[in-house]
Amino acid sequence: MPELTIPLCHHLSKECPFSIDDTILDFGCAKGYIVHALRLLGYKAWGVDISEYAVSQAPKEVNGYVQLIEPYTPFPQHRYNWIICKDILEHIPYERIDDQLSILADSCNDLIAMVPLGDGEKYNIPAYEKDVTHIIREDLEWWNDKFTSNGFSVDV
């Protein structure tokens, strides 16, 4: 929701040590609302998504900053200071999550990941079950192990 995105990005900019010169990638950016909000706040932000429809619906203000990519491929600019993964990693099949996390680890200094948590079978918040494209329903320990085994240090 666009009206929630600027407050989210403002909060991220206050809680994360973003520098105004840092490069930021929104992985799974959909229509590019986070990219737009971060650019309004003065940050160098880009976005990538695998949905041709979503990318085609991005606001004109982010033309050239949001682009379509093939799944499990390196990113256009090979290195970013930050990558944001908001509500995207739970959509990746179990057998491909290590591949994706490895690409992310090779592409950034720091990663911000927001994922719904579960118990391996169902989400802690039942509303997340309504999205039929959600696949991974694991707990915080599982995610921490995945990030750590793919080269990230975890700070919760």
Side-chain angles (χ1 to χ4, degrees):
M1 298 174 72
E3 64 274 10
L4 299 178
T5 306
I6 289 178
L8 167 71
C9 290
H10 177 74
H11 181 73
L12 284 174
S13 72
K14 297 300 176 204
E15 295 300 319
C16 302
F18 292 162
S19 161
I20 204 68
D21 293 321
D22 285 348
T23 55
I24 304 169
L25 177 72
D26 181 10
F27 173 64
C29 71
K31 297 178 182 179
Y33 294 138
I34 287 177
V35 174
H36 187 206
L38 287 170
R39 290 187 95 53
L40 285 172
L41 293 170
Y43 293 100
K44 298 173 185 172
W46 291 266
V48 294
D49 202 285
I50 64 169
S51 169
E52 186 174 344
Y53 170 77
V55 169
S56 74
Q57 300 301 305
K60 67 181 185 318
E61 294 86 357
V62 294
N63 282 350
Y65 300 107
V66 170
Q67 68 185 86
L68 190 64
I69 60 164
E70 292 295 317
Y72 316 109
T73 58
F75 303 125
Q77 178 181 326
H78 296 289
R79 191 96 185 141
Y80 298 86
N81 297 104
W82 294 87
I83 295 180
I84 298 171
C85 297
K86 182 185 177 304
D87 298 322
I88 188 69
L89 297 175
E90 68 274 11
H91 296 269
I92 297 172
Y94 279 92
E95 64 272 10
R96 296 306 303 263
I97 192 67
D98 286 317
D99 297 335
Q100 189 60 68
L101 290 175
S102 178
I103 291 168
L104 290 165
D106 289 343
S107 302
C108 68
N109 299 336
D110 292 289
L111 178 81
I112 299 168
M114 294 168 248
V115 294
L117 300 176
D119 64 6
E121 294 181 21
K122 62 181 186 233
Y123 288 111
N124 296 345
I125 298 173
Y128 285 114
E129 296 297 338
K130 293 179 181 178
D131 187 336
V132 297
T133 66
H134 283 171
I135 298 170
I136 299 178
R137 293 167 168 80
E138 299 296 340
D139 63 16
L140 185 59
E141 184 177 341
W142 185 91
W143 281 106
N144 285 345
D145 289 345
K146 278 292 167 193
F147 288 118
T148 302
S149 68
N150 281 284
F152 292 100
S153 59
V154 175
D155 182 17
V156 180

